[in-house]
Amino acid sequence: AGRDTLAIAILEELVHDPDLRDEAQLARSWYNLGNVYRRSGRNRDAVVAYQRALALDDRRESAWNNLGEAYRALGDTLAAADAYRRAIAIVPGHEQALNNLGALRASQGDARDAEARFRAAVAANPRYVPAWTNLALLLTGGERYREALEAWRMILVLEPDNALARQALDAAAEAGLVETENP
């Protein structure tokens, strides 16, 4: 809640407490510490914390996904992709990991794989707006306007106040790609 310095101090004390022997609690504490480090921009520290959490419990798909995000922030795209794939191997419908791997692939110019990942993410969770947004942006950039418009419309169904989707549909209307009536 905006008190990351305090959270880091408490969690660091907890993970180094010699009396803490409950591996599940220790794994959660390392994971939470990784989250606070990442939120604070301390991605190298986040990597170490997530690795410690995963050494205790390698079935934590969210830790794998967040490890991927930390690696990606550090520019290590190979390690990021591997971490996302590990999360997906544990939970095949992990929409965040699917979306994050898709975004990574899109940034690398692999539109086909990115689209497949975004579509898998929205199939896993049809209400997951970040994947719909990435899919809409990818389709728009690929000049696949009919499909992109469907995605933008879906975003507005899910989030009626989504400014980016509204802007995209307004621009499409101005360009004569759709009628001016929006959902």
Side-chain angles (χ1 to χ4, degrees):
R3 300 187 61 183
D4 289 344
T5 302
L6 178 60
I8 289 170
I10 291 168
L11 287 165
E12 284 178 342
E13 185 177 323
L14 183 62
V15 298
H16 293 101
D17 183 348
D19 295 327
L20 180 60
R21 302 198 191 288
D22 180 344
E23 284 192 4
Q25 183 181 356
L26 189 56
R28 278 190 305 276
S29 297
W30 278 111
Y31 170 75
N32 289 332
L33 182 57
N35 289 341
V36 179
Y37 280 148
R38 193 165 64 88
R39 189 172 58 231
S40 300
R42 294 174 57 181
N43 288 298
R44 289 191 195 291
D45 292 327
V47 165
V48 171
Y50 292 133
Q51 288 172 336
R52 296 289 299 267
L54 290 163
L56 294 164
D57 181 3
D58 69 349
R59 302 290 301 161
R60 297 180 65 84
E61 74 281 352
S62 293
W64 283 112
N65 178 65
N66 292 358
L67 176 61
E69 288 293 270
Y71 276 132
R72 188 168 166 201
L74 292 171
D76 190 342
T77 58
L78 290 175
D82 182 59
Y84 297 140
R85 281 193 293 272
R86 296 284 301 262
I88 295 164
I90 296 165
V91 177
H94 193 290
E95 67 266 18
Q96 291 174 324
L98 288 163
N99 182 58
N100 291 338
L101 184 54
L104 177 63
R105 294 297 183 229
S107 73
Q108 295 172 327
D110 190 344
R112 181 173 293 186
D113 188 51
E115 180 179 350
R117 304 295 178 162
F118 297 146
R119 289 193 185 278
V122 298
N125 181 355
R127 302 190 60 76
Y128 190 58
V129 173
W132 278 112
T133 302
N134 283 334
L135 178 61
L137 290 167
L138 183 76
L139 294 169
T140 301
E143 299 182 358
R144 293 167 56 192
Y145 300 120
R146 176 168 276 129
E147 293 171 273
L149 291 171
E150 290 174 18
W152 290 120
R153 287 184 183 116
M154 178 54 82
I155 294 166
L156 282 183
V157 167
L158 298 171
E159 287 183 359
D161 295 330
N162 188 295
L164 185 59
R166 178 69 56 204
Q167 180 183 15
L169 289 171
D170 289 346
E174 287 179 25
L177 297 173
V178 295
E179 297 176 20
T180 56
E181 182 182 352
N182 288 329

